[in-house]
Amino acid sequence: AQRVTQPEKLLSVFKGAPVELKCNYSYSGSPELFWYVQYSRQRLQLLLRHISRESIKGFTADLNKGETSFHLKKPFAQEEDSAMYYCALSAGSNYKLTFGKGTLLTVNP
Amino acid sequence: DTAVSQTPKYLVTQMGNDKSIKCEQNLGHDTMYWYKQDSKKFLKIMFSYNNKELIINETVPNRFSPKSPDKAHLNLHINSLELGDSAVYFCASSQGGNSYNEQFFGPGTRLTVL
């Protein structure tokens, strides 16, 4: 069975501070990992996926298979980064996406 | 120009009623999904259709019945609504064939059962 754990329900930082949103996963095979974001009153949208190895809006995430983690990081948080962040895992032939419970990030001025 | 659209946006109804939520995507995708987001913002897959064929059916009460008339539409019909069905329901679509393909989400339908 696949599982995604986001240990922090809430995370609050000040503008300009580094931010790290934690994500750990459980899956016996090779999963695809994603971060989705939901800004206030907007629909859920893809932020980044590990296979792309790209930086979006200053965020990066590295897949660590040894620690089964896919933490999301940004060196300098901005107020517009305040949103709900979901880590997600896709695996298996039916492309089922399993979401973590989400972390609400608040960036204070 | 909306990629994934849902109707209605809000739905308030009494316990015991039957209601439907509609979803349409104009992205040409072959796979569509329904998710439920509860009051704690937890997102969980309910169903998935690929080319009108059901491929994911999580442990959802059989009061919930998805229907896909064609690849661009996936509707959700709910019978005998219960208080616990109150949630936000999201439709999504993706191009199947790869597990790393992005899923595109609709704006959600907030269902309130009184």
Side-chain angles (χ1 to χ4, degrees), chain B residues 71-110:
Chain B
K71 281 198 317 183
H73 296 84
L74 180 61
N75 303 324
L76 183 65
H77 189 75
I78 316 170
N79 287 328
S80 304
L81 278 155
E82 300 178 358
L83 294 176
D85 297 332
S86 295
V88 181
Y89 292 84
F90 287 98
C91 177
S93 73
S94 70
Q95 188 56 34
N98 287 298
S99 57
Y100 53 81
N101 283 346
E102 176 181 357
Q103 290 189 18
F104 291 81
F105 284 78
T109 296
R110 183 174 293 276

Side-chain angles (χ1 to χ4, degrees), chain A residues 9 30-32 34 36 38 42-46 49 51 84 86 90-102, chain B residues 2-5 31 33 35 37 40-43 45 48 55-56 58 90 96-103 105-107:
Chain A
K9 200 171 174 180
S30 291
E32 304 294 338
F34 305 80
Y36 279 80
Q38 189 175 26
Q42 292 188 30
R43 63 186 69 198
L44 197 66
Q45 57 188 287
L46 179 68
R49 56 191 133 185
I51 197 167
M84 190 73 165
Y86 291 94
S90 176
S93 57
N94 60 13
Y95 320 123
K96 174 181 165 179
L97 202 58
T98 299
F99 285 91
K101 294 195 173 183
Chain B
T2 308
V4 183
S5 58
T31 307
Y33 312 81
Y35 290 88
Q37 186 181 47
K40 295 181 180 175
K41 302 286 189 183
F42 182 40
L43 261 174
I45 182 82
S48 174
I55 57 170
I56 297 175
E58 292 293 288
F90 287 98
N98 287 298
S99 57
Y100 53 81
N101 283 346
E102 176 181 357
Q103 290 189 18
F105 284 78

Side-chain angles (χ1 to χ4, degrees), chain B residues 40-67:
Chain B
K40 295 181 180 175
K41 302 286 189 183
F42 182 40
L43 261 174
K44 195 166 190 299
I45 182 82
M46 298 173 69
F47 302 103
S48 174
Y49 271 74
N50 176 262
N51 282 316
K52 302 197 302 174
E53 185 183 335
L54 183 67
I55 57 170
I56 297 175
N57 185 355
E58 292 293 288
T59 47
V60 176
N62 54 18
R63 297 182 294 104
F64 290 78
S65 52
K67 281 191 174 49

Side-chain angles (χ1 to χ4, degrees), chain B residues 9-29:
Chain B
K9 197 169 179 180
Y10 299 96
L11 186 52
V12 181
T13 188
Q14 299 285 338
M15 228 169 32
N17 284 349
D18 302 339
K19 290 291 176 189
S20 291
I21 308 172
K22 295 186 176 182
C23 177
E24 177 180 2
Q25 54 94 5
N26 62 5
L27 296 166
H29 290 162

